[in-house]
Amino acid sequence: MPNTEEILARTGGRPLTHVLYSAERIAERVAEVGREITDAIPADEELLVLGTLKGSFIFLSDLVRQIRRPMEVDFLVASSYGSETTSSGKVDLLYDNTAPIEGRHVILVEDIVDSGTTLNRLLPLLDARGPRSLEVCALLHKHIAPDLYREPRWVGFDCPQEFVIGYGLDHSEQFRNLPFIGAIEP
Ligand code: PRP
């Protein structure tokens, strides 16, 4: 676990409320999820792992190295906009993936499911392209989305109702580089 000095060096002096998940705990859980995904995907069938940028970039890069299957990796850029700390209910698709989806097992990788707006925007769009299967792997799930199009099949951690940063998650585009996940007062 990082000490206070190390945390403040990385946050530019801004204190965290607390560390929720250490780098070691995240690594253990990502390895477990990677094993579960490996077991779920037949070795001779095509797998496409789709990351949602920017938030999933660290989780995805760790996760794909724990999945012992051939795969293609691609990304979508979806961004919600509104205030800095609450989800607005609007999601722009800024970049669409180019990898084919039809007939393949597709795993959409999210860093966090909060209001569910992002998943509810992306999943129908991907489903319409005829994947063999379409599942979600989310590192964090707040379980507050009232009406999710599809529940994530794999979840790293059930996340409390706090403003979480680090390991890809930001506050005003800062703190994505923290190797652990912490909470701050927004
Ligand atoms: C964040 C996060 C998820 C999404 C989850 O992305 O990375 O993709 O919000 O929230 P929701 O369930 O309420 O839709 P954001 O739009 O902030 O962009 P980012 O990935 O670039 O940080």
Side-chain angles (χ1 to χ4, degrees):
M1 192 70 99
N3 63 37
T4 306
E5 198 178 320
E6 286 169 359
I7 291 171
L8 293 176
R10 290 174 188 271
T11 63
R14 182 161 176 170
L16 301 182
T17 313
H18 57 122
V19 174
L20 277 164
Y21 310 108
S22 67
E24 294 76 17
R25 190 161 170 219
I26 295 170
E28 279 172 23
R29 187 67 191 122
V30 171
E32 284 172 6
V33 172
R35 281 195 290 274
E36 289 172 19
I37 292 175
T38 302
D39 290 344
I41 303 295
D44 56 347
E45 293 176 13
E46 287 192 48
L47 171 62
L48 170 64
V49 177
L50 267 184
T52 56
L53 293 175
K54 304 177 200 171
S56 75
F57 80 106
I58 294 179
F59 176 43
L60 180 130
S61 62
D62 284 345
L63 180 68
V64 292
R65 285 177 284 176
Q66 298 293 337
I67 300 173
R68 286 162 176 79
R69 288 284 177 265
M71 69 174 72
E72 186 168 344
V73 176
D74 204 350
F75 296 92
L76 292 160
V77 181
S79 194
S80 53
Y81 53 96
S83 87
E84 286 176 356
T85 56
T86 58
S87 194
S88 63
K90 294 173 184 165
V91 176
D92 271 343
L93 189 59
L94 305 178
Y95 171 76
D96 202 351
N97 64 286
T98 54
I101 283 178
E102 191 173 355
R104 306 172 105 182
H105 295 287
V106 176
I107 300 175
L108 185 65
V109 176
E110 265 282 29
D111 49 316
I112 186 165
V113 182
D114 193 340
S115 70
T117 310
T118 305
L119 283 186
N120 285 346
R121 166 94 161 90
L122 295 179
L123 287 172
L125 189 148
L126 295 171
D127 245 352
R129 297 175 186 174
R132 179 159 188 172
S133 67
L134 174 62
E135 302 285 359
V136 176
C137 177
L139 178 63
L140 304 176
H141 191 350
K142 284 195 171 175
H143 294 282
I144 56 168
D147 197 15
L148 264 189
Y149 180 88
R150 184 163 304 153
E151 279 293 328
R153 178 165 176 184
W154 299 281
V155 173
F157 303 102
D158 293 329
C159 179
Q161 305 309 313
E162 297 183 84
F163 197 95
V164 288
I165 55 164
Y167 199 70
L169 292 128
D170 75 307
H171 177 257
S172 298
E173 297 300 331
Q174 294 295 305
F175 312 122
R176 293 192 197 273
N177 59 318
L178 301 181
F180 49 84
I181 294 173
I184 54 166
E185 294 292 341

